[in-house]
Amino acid sequence: MKTLSVFLILVCLIGAIVGCGGSSDGPAKFPVSGKVTLDGEPLAEGDIIFRDVEGSAASAAGKIEEGEYSLRSTAGKKAVVITATKEIPGKTVVGGAPDDVPTPAIEQYLPAQYNTKTTLDANVSDSGSNEFSFELKSE
């Protein structure tokens, strides 16, 4: 559970870093969009990250809402990470401080092949369409 929490915090930080800035002095970014389904149905909500395979460009992140996402990414081969979490009914998490309020426990419900051990990829082009759809399957 601790690993999942660290992973989710990392995803949020990457999203915050990618969303910051706005300087036109950086590398060119191109619109990327598409659809994400789980077992044939639109993924209600989640996060998507396009991570540069070479490690030379910043990652690009976006929200998935009702099975659709859009973001801006540098061109090139990307490893795609998709995460989605849900509350675990009846479970809560309490921090170490005496005044911590219990919060609902959450879990990553997509298989690791779509996030921590992703097998998904995309090649973002500097010209043409950058629409990528991902059809995910539950385990």
Side-chain angles (χ1 to χ4, degrees):
M1 189 60 152
K2 186 175 182 179
T3 303
L4 176 61
S5 296
V6 171
F7 177 75
L8 292 174
I9 290 170
L10 191 64
V11 168
C12 291
L13 287 174
I14 290 171
I17 291 169
V18 171
C20 294
S23 169
S24 60
D25 297 327
K29 293 185 179 181
F30 306 93
V32 176
S33 62
K35 298 182 184 301
V36 179
T37 59
L38 178 62
D39 298 327
E41 298 294 323
L43 185 65
E45 62 183 355
D47 295 288
I48 188 165
I49 301 170
F50 278 57
R51 190 176 61 222
D52 189 67
V53 171
E54 301 290 321
S56 59
S59 296
K63 289 286 189 189
I64 301 167
E65 295 175 344
E66 297 179 21
E68 296 185 1
Y69 72 92
S70 65
L71 52 88
R72 294 184 65 79
S73 174
T74 55
K77 181 89 169 170
K78 308 297 178 185
V80 179
V81 175
I82 300 176
T83 60
T85 58
K86 64 181 177 181
E87 287 186 20
I88 303 172
K91 289 196 175 187
T92 58
V93 177
V94 179
D99 60 347
D100 277 345
V101 176
T103 57
I106 60 170
E107 67 179 347
Q108 167 63 250
Y109 66 89
L110 297 177
Q113 69 194 38
Y114 305 128
N115 42 71
T116 57
K117 297 179 181 177
T118 190
T119 58
L120 304 173
D121 62 11
N123 193 7
V124 177
S125 173
D126 58 0
S127 62
S129 174
N130 284 312
E131 289 190 27
F132 306 100
S133 292
F134 300 98
E135 297 176 6
L136 315 182
K137 303 267 187 231
S138 298
E139 286 186 318

